[in-house]
Amino acid sequence: RKEVEQDPGPFNVPEGATVAFNCTYSNSASQSFFWYRQDCRKEPKLLMSVYSSGNEDGRFTAQLNRASQYISLLIRDSKLSDSATYLCVADYGQNFVFGPGTRLSVLP
Amino acid sequence: DTGVSQDPRHKITKRGQNVTFRCDPISEHNRLYWYRQTLGQGPEFLTYFQNEAQLEKSRLLSDRFSAERPKGSFSTLEIQRTEQGDSAMYLCASSFGQIAEAFFGQGTRLTVV
């Protein structure tokens, strides 16, 4: 089993749609979780941290289920500018492990 | 610009040559990470430093790869005797403290021909 797995994608959705990404991690000792966004041929940029209680930042909501070792990202009212690859990240000891990413294309 | 900076942005080299990349982290960050990313994949961990100490290395980091962070500031990643399979984006990231969010530089894209 890979350390961090994500929905294979790609996701093609119309503007205004709600889209959810799922991620699972294998290390039950992981404590920190993040979602990064990566545009084509650019570096990953931090989108949001994921907290146990769940957290929201505008149109973005992240959830963590420690028992199931599952993380999710919900994007509401998607915009064309949301088109990117979304990377799920968990800490493994003292480094971060990235998932393979899920590509999102928001269509006009 | 106070972000993470990497140099060069692009490097084309012939197979068998040595290359060296530099990363300047955010100044107050004590942790520095190197990742490698190929098309369609997420970044793969290579190594990380806390201050000047290299604390962990991935098995991906063969003996042709070496990284340093003298004085706990900038870091260099050297690849000796490059192979075509080394072609990738090499990303540097830094963070402050343990398991805090990491911020990435723009990467060095290596092409081995």
Side-chain angles (χ1 to χ4, degrees):
Chain A
R1 180 184 174 187
K2 291 186 179 177
E3 294 165 310
V4 178
E5 298 190 69
Q6 296 186 238
D7 289 332
F11 284 40
N12 299 312
V13 302
E15 267 188 292
T18 295
V19 60
F21 300 133
N22 300 313
C23 170
T24 57
Y25 59 96
S26 63
N27 182 9
S28 59
S30 291
Q31 297 180 48
S32 294
F33 309 92
F34 308 95
W35 283 100
Y36 279 74
R37 169 201 169 119
Q38 187 171 29
D39 293 296
C40 189
R41 302 181 77 84
K42 299 285 189 180
E43 76 276 20
K45 292 189 176 177
L46 179 68
L47 179 65
M48 59 197 304
S49 302
V50 185
Y51 302 120
S52 296
S53 55
N55 48 301
E56 187 174 310
D57 183 2
R59 298 181 293 107
F60 299 84
T61 301
Q63 296 281 348
L64 169 64
N65 183 324
R66 287 189 184 273
S68 303
Q69 295 179 205
Y70 168 89
I71 305 161
S72 66
L73 176 69
L74 185 76
I75 305 175
R76 291 180 299 277
D77 187 24
S78 53
K79 313 290 185 191
L80 295 177
S81 57
D82 293 333
S83 297
T85 295
Y86 290 83
L87 298 160
C88 174
V89 185
D91 77 278
Y92 274 70
Q94 303 202 28
N95 72 75
F96 300 106
V97 176
F98 284 73
T102 301
R103 173 136 188 85
L104 171 66
S105 292
V106 180
L107 307 172
Chain B
D1 186 352
T2 56
V4 179
S5 64
Q6 293 188 244
D7 183 71
R9 294 285 307 279
H10 304 274
K11 179 71 177 178
I12 300 174
T13 191
K14 291 183 178 179
R15 190 172 50 188
Q17 297 294 304
N18 298 344
V19 293
T20 300
F21 310 141
R22 176 180 170 124
C23 171
D24 288 88
I26 294 171
S27 58
E28 62 268 26
H29 285 184
N30 59 344
R31 292 189 166 220
L32 186 149
Y33 307 83
W34 284 99
Y35 286 82
R36 180 175 70 186
Q37 187 175 27
T38 53
L39 199 62
Q41 302 297 316
E44 296 174 298
F45 171 76
L46 293 178
T47 188
Y48 103 93
F49 293 83
Q50 178 162 308
N51 300 313
E52 67 276 10
Q54 187 174 17
L55 296 186
E56 190 168 344
K57 292 194 289 186
S58 161
R59 64 184 180 278
L60 293 175
L61 215 66
S62 75
D63 57 5
R64 296 185 298 106
F65 289 71
S66 62
E68 294 182 343
R69 192 183 181 196
K71 303 177 184 177
S73 55
F74 71 92
S75 176
T76 58
L77 178 68
E78 181 183 15
I79 309 174
Q80 297 182 326
R81 305 181 303 281
T82 51
E83 302 173 355
Q84 286 188 317
D86 296 332
S87 296
M89 174 77 89
Y90 289 83
L91 292 160
C92 175
S94 69
S95 69
F96 180 73
Q98 186 171 347
I99 55 178
E101 58 268 24
F103 296 89
F104 282 84
Q106 293 178 301
T108 295
R109 185 170 297 281
L110 173 67
T111 303
V112 182
V113 297

